[in-house]
Amino acid sequence: MATATLEKKTSITQTLSDIAEAVERIKNDAPQQFPEAASIGDAVRQGDIYIQLISESDLDTMKYLYNRVDTPVLQLAPGNTKGSRHVLESADGVEMYLPADTDEAVMRYVFAKHGEKLPAKRTNGQFGWSGQYFDERKEVEAALTLAGPIVRLTKPNAVTHPEHGDWKLPCGTYRIVFQRTVDEQERIRRVLD
Amino acid sequence: MARLTQKQKTTVVKVISRWAHTFAGTRPVNMDRIAKLIACAYKGQTYVERTYVGKGEKRKIKRRNRLVGMPTIHEVKSPIAFDIAQAVCRGYLSKSAAENICKQFGMDTSFIANLRRDTLLTIGQRYSRYNWSTSPLLSMWKATIAPAVSDAIRVALDPPDRWSSRNDDDERKTPKRFTASFDVPKMPQNINTYYLQNNTYSQLTQIRQEVRGANALRIIGNFYYNDPANPDLGRLTHVPWSSNADNAMHDRHELADVWGERNNYMDAEILCHLMSVTDLNQTWAYELMHEASNVMTFNRHVLVLADRPTIRTNADGELHCEDGPAVTWADGAKQYYVSGHALGLLGKKIVETPEALTLRDIRDEPNEEIKRLAIEKYGWNRYLAEIGATVLDRRENYVDNTVEALVSIPDNISRRSWDHTRRDYVVNEIRIEKRKLILACRSTGRQYFLAVPDDVRTCEEGQRWMANGANSEHVPAFTRTMRLVGAS
């Protein structure tokens, strides 16, 4: 038993030491280039956000879920902490689409996907028989809570951060996704820093 | 867009420079001038006095316009004191509860004694007053020099994070070229970072409005307090923010509106200078915002926050102090920062008394950066040993070029389940093995401790789970698994 405890301690201590040693060797916040030859689906991570290359045609399939904004908001992650400051270097050549934040938008998407019309609203403003496609709607809503903006770059740009290395992005359409974790109440949420 | 004359440019530069100094906190507090400006604001203001006439079914409300007199000015010394004072004046908090809350923050309570319950007063909407938002000059302003002025403001005050371009004019897209021709004074570095991180009152309310369903007790700016379970503190965080409160609130940060597209007090000041309007009865609104950062108006009282905190920064201009609060207000309220990271509830423990940190403190902290700092102070080895962590998996992450580990931590949790025998829900304590990833950031070298679901078996599985939160089989574009090719 004492040996097992000693082995367990050694293992934790050794692991921590290896982690620290490995990162000290390569620690580097120099700007990096998103590969020009990247395929659709490839992504890079900057801290707690992922920048994924998607197809231009994907936007057309996400009608109702994303809305184009006239003036792009350069900060890609919400929040006013230092860790949230993932910021596009320039608004030049940027088309930005923000995820819809209403249940109605998700309903419209799901019903349209099934080729059905949205149920009529009752006098109290609620949709009639809102139980239809409930599971599918809830899953889409859950996905949207961790989805950041979609940016279509017609000119090369960069995502900057005060602590993590910058990522230079070539022209293309990118989706921002937030890293998730589990809190103490076993709820899934975005990583907060 | 109209071109500016030299006189107009000189006026714009002068006004922007003045606002730059206001934001930078170089202006000393002048309560006499504030009182004078408040007198101008309240001059001729009326409020509706309601009296009840009659009894029973014949009871009626009689309304009468009454002139407000000169209000009593209550000066507070910190944003949290302002928050407490407005809750008392609006009737949501008793004075004893307010004193209790001040003790939580280690603050002086002398400002509470003179506070009185009162009705919010909206100021500045009488037709005879110059009203910026409804003046006929507004259309002319917007059509002519407003865009040029807005760009000059943005360039000078350097708010890069939220600056957005307009697509209809090349000059607006190239701020550097514009600056060179406009000769706008350069602000102190990181001024807007400081402003954001300084948690003025607008940040207190903004944060509270934005967060839904989160633990509101934690959302009191970044002010350290002793007992988060204090019920009075809970009452403070649930004080509603009505449209009346919005109208009665004058906030420098919001009204200067550095990042917005709409007209702001800087535009008003420039226009008044160009038109040679100097009467304080016309210009009190923006003059007051130069002198005080927050003002809330009531029928007979007015709350004023004009004081500036003492701040400590690092070489990069970030709020930072390793042996005490980085931001200290005159009434004792404190805020702790390390390298620009606001530490909130655990600030004092992390910075001043790390020996007081407990496992529960670290476990309950939702912010990963603060958690990381707390674990570092506690000691990684010590922390992992005390929570009983065992290594389940470790690997070299070839995307990050770092080493990471998945650990298992035994824990007891309460789970609610349906008991068919009792035909009721019962709460059982069950033992589970929680999974956490120990990761290192390749940019900063910092180690983090991130939770993943209990069924995760390997580091790779954990990383994949963390990255694919926005996936859904019901949305074609969301079905692609995240294929990481790089990290920073």
Side-chain angles (χ1 to χ4, degrees):
Chain A
M1 188 63 81
T3 310
T5 308
L6 182 62
E7 278 174 3
K8 181 177 93 175
K9 280 188 183 169
T10 306
S11 178
I12 288 276
T13 310
Q14 185 62 47
T15 302
L16 286 173
S17 170
D18 291 344
I19 291 173
E21 198 183 324
V23 80
E24 277 306 313
R25 270 202 309 269
I26 58 98
K27 193 166 78 174
N28 187 353
D29 64 351
Q32 298 182 68
Q33 174 74 40
F34 195 102
E36 297 265 2
S39 311
I40 300 295
D42 286 351
V44 296
R45 183 175 59 78
Q46 185 187 60
D48 59 345
I49 69 165
Y50 300 89
I51 306 164
Q52 185 184 32
L53 182 68
I54 62 173
S55 165
E56 292 230 358
S57 57
D58 285 339
L59 266 177
D60 301 327
T61 63
M62 288 192 284
K63 197 178 165 189
Y64 304 122
L65 291 182
Y66 278 85
N67 303 314
R68 182 166 174 190
V69 291
D70 292 332
T71 41
V73 175
L74 299 189
Q75 185 167 320
L76 300 174
N80 65 351
T81 58
K82 187 179 178 183
S84 305
R85 298 168 90 75
H86 303 270
V87 176
L88 280 172
E89 193 174 50
S90 164
D92 210 10
V94 174
E95 281 176 27
M96 184 169 277
Y97 300 81
L98 294 180
D101 60 0
T102 62
D103 298 344
E104 182 174 337
V106 173
M107 275 192 82
R108 283 189 186 280
Y109 170 81
V110 170
F111 276 81
K113 188 178 145 219
H114 290 275
E116 293 180 27
K117 278 173 105 176
L118 208 59
K121 277 191 181 175
R122 296 192 198 116
T123 48
N124 62 359
Q126 299 291 320
F127 284 105
W129 187 230
S130 54
Q132 233 172 330
Y133 304 119
F134 181 80
D135 291 338
E136 188 174 333
R137 279 164 33 216
K138 286 300 158 197
E139 199 186 306
V140 174
E141 279 170 21
L144 273 186
T145 56
L146 289 160
I150 288 178
V151 290
R152 178 183 274 159
L153 304 180
T154 53
K155 291 184 182 174
N157 210 318
V159 180
T160 65
H161 191 273
E163 292 181 322
H164 300 291
D166 298 351
W167 274 102
K168 295 181 185 174
L169 305 179
C171 299
T173 307
Y174 300 88
R175 177 169 84 121
I176 307 299
V177 175
F178 303 126
Q179 196 176 51
R180 61 175 168 172
T181 184
V182 183
D183 67 10
E184 288 302 315
Q185 286 77 42
E186 296 184 73
R187 293 174 301 204
I188 296 172
R189 61 162 175 82
R190 181 168 86 92
V191 166
L192 300 172
D193 62 352
Chain B
M1 182 184 72
R3 289 191 173 277
L4 302 182
T5 64
Q6 191 51 48
K7 183 191 170 191
Q8 286 168 340
K9 282 189 183 181
T10 308
T11 304
V12 170
V13 169
K14 188 175 152 190
V15 169
I16 292 175
S17 181
R18 192 178 176 218
W19 276 99
H21 284 291
T22 295
F23 284 131
T26 55
R27 184 188 314 285
V29 176
N30 186 342
M31 285 307 295
D32 291 334
R33 180 154 170 85
I34 290 173
K36 199 171 165 187
L37 292 167
I38 287 172
C40 293
Y42 273 71
K43 191 173 165 184
Q45 282 292 321
T46 59
Y47 72 95
V48 176
E49 184 190 60
R50 290 181 180 81
T51 46
Y52 292 92
V53 176
K55 288 184 182 179
E57 286 181 5
K58 293 183 183 173
R59 197 176 188 211
K60 288 182 186 171
I61 301 173
K62 193 174 160 187
R63 293 180 176 84
R64 191 165 70 162
N65 276 348
R66 300 291 296 261
L67 269 177
V68 295
M70 181 63 191
T72 307
I73 298 176
H74 299 281
E75 188 193 356
V76 294
K77 300 285 186 179
S78 67
I80 193 67
F82 193 98
D83 203 18
I84 294 168
Q86 65 90 21
V88 172
C89 289
R90 291 171 63 203
Y92 289 103
L93 211 60
S94 67
K95 286 188 182 179
S96 57
E99 282 180 7
N100 199 2
I101 295 169
C102 285
K103 282 173 191 156
Q104 290 303 310
F105 289 96
M107 283 161 52
D108 176 35
T109 59
S110 57
F111 70 96
I112 296 172
N114 296 327
L115 295 173
R116 295 284 179 270
R117 175 90 192 263
D118 202 348
T119 308
L120 290 164
L121 177 69
T122 302
I123 281 188
Q125 294 194 346
R126 295 185 65 223
Y127 69 92
S128 60
R129 283 178 177 261
Y130 177 82
N131 187 331
W132 177 242
S133 62
T134 60
S135 166
L137 283 170
L138 180 63
S139 305
M140 202 185 315
W141 175 262
K142 276 166 92 171
T144 55
I145 69 172
V149 168
S150 294
D151 286 332
I153 289 168
R154 289 200 188 93
V155 164
L157 300 182
D158 193 25
D161 296 345
R162 299 197 72 82
W163 193 86
S164 55
S165 69
R166 291 174 230 240
N167 296 322
D168 56 349
D169 193 294
D170 281 340
E171 196 171 12
R172 294 187 193 122
K173 288 178 188 175
T174 53
K176 285 183 186 169
R177 196 172 71 207
F178 187 81
T179 313
S181 61
F182 210 87
D183 190 28
V184 171
K186 191 65 183 160
M187 277 287 292
Q189 199 174 11
N190 290 327
I191 184 61
N192 283 292
T193 306
Y194 158 72
Y195 208 96
L196 272 177
Q197 292 176 345
N198 205 20
N199 285 120
T200 57
Y201 188 81
S202 62
Q203 292 297 316
L204 285 174
T205 50
Q206 182 188 1
I207 291 167
R208 199 179 295 151
Q209 284 162 10
E210 279 176 357
V211 174
R212 293 186 183 89
N215 184 353
L217 279 177
R218 299 187 181 278
I219 315 298
I220 308 187
N222 287 304
F223 289 93
Y224 170 78
Y225 46 97
N226 293 311
D227 179 11
N230 184 295
D232 293 324
L233 201 57
R235 269 196 280 280
L236 176 67
T237 61
H238 287 94
V239 171
W241 193 254
S242 60
S243 58
N244 278 348
D246 226 12
N247 289 335
M249 179 71 181
H250 305 257
D251 177 282
R252 176 192 287 150
H253 179 218
E254 283 184 28
L255 294 170
D257 194 25
V258 174
W259 300 303
E261 295 290 328
R262 65 177 193 269
N263 299 287
N264 56 53
Y265 275 23
M266 279 191 247
D267 287 356
E269 187 169 348
I270 291 167
L271 185 60
C272 285
H273 275 274
L274 291 174
M275 294 169 63
S276 304
V277 173
T278 54
D279 180 14
L280 274 184
N281 289 314
Q282 301 287 349
T283 62
W284 65 264
Y286 59 76
E287 291 292 341
L288 187 58
M289 288 298 100
H290 276 292
E291 302 296 333
S293 55
N294 299 106
V295 174
M296 187 174 249
T297 49
F298 296 83
N299 286 352
R300 288 175 294 276
H301 302 89
V302 62
L303 298 176
V304 172
L305 169 62
D307 238 29
R308 296 278 186 167
T310 307
I311 62 170
R312 296 166 77 173
T313 57
N314 59 15
D316 295 328
E318 296 168 330
L319 291 170
H320 175 83
C321 183
E322 287 178 358
D323 55 7
V327 179
T328 316
W329 299 84
D331 59 2
K334 299 175 188 61
Q335 293 168 275
Y336 293 85
Y337 289 82
V338 167
S339 298
H341 288 284
L343 300 185
L345 173 62
L346 285 186
K348 186 180 170 75
K349 282 188 182 179
I350 290 173
V351 172
E352 289 181 2
T353 54
E355 64 279 2
L357 281 168
T358 63
L359 295 178
R360 195 186 178 93
D361 286 335
I362 296 171
R363 192 191 75 179
D364 290 348
E365 176 55 53
N367 186 297
E368 304 301 335
E369 194 61 39
I370 300 174
K371 185 184 283 191
R372 173 194 71 83
L373 279 164
I375 295 175
E376 268 182 21
K377 290 285 182 168
Y378 198 87
W380 274 96
N381 281 308
R382 179 185 163 206
Y383 177 67
L384 292 176
E386 289 186 14
I387 60 175
T390 50
V391 177
L392 285 183
D393 181 40
R394 54 171 282 173
R395 70 162 188 166
E396 282 198 41
N397 183 328
Y398 291 111
V399 175
D400 288 50
N401 289 319
T402 57
V403 172
E404 57 195 26
L406 177 72
V407 298
S408 164
I409 300 158
D411 198 7
N412 292 327
I413 60 159
S414 304
R415 278 230 177 110
R416 213 164 142 244
S417 57
W418 179 254
D419 188 325
H420 292 279
T421 315
R422 296 183 195 181
R423 297 173 69 81
D424 195 1
Y425 284 101
V426 294
V427 176
N428 295 315
E429 282 275 320
I430 59 172
R431 193 157 180 84
I432 61 166
E433 298 281 323
K434 287 189 172 176
R435 303 280 192 261
K436 301 236 178 172
L437 277 170
I438 305 175
L439 313 159
C441 171
R442 62 162 287 148
S443 293
T444 59
R446 296 171 185 162
Q447 292 181 17
Y448 294 90
F449 199 50
L450 296 178
V452 290
D454 304 343
D455 55 355
V456 164
R457 295 277 175 262
T458 62
C459 294
E460 189 181 344
E461 218 177 295
Q463 285 279 11
R464 203 178 319 125
W465 180 86
M466 287 199 298
N468 290 297
N471 279 17
S472 168
E473 60 184 14
H474 303 292
V475 183
F478 288 10
T479 54
R480 296 193 193 89
T481 303
M482 199 73 66
R483 224 172 20 247
L484 275 183
V485 298
S488 68

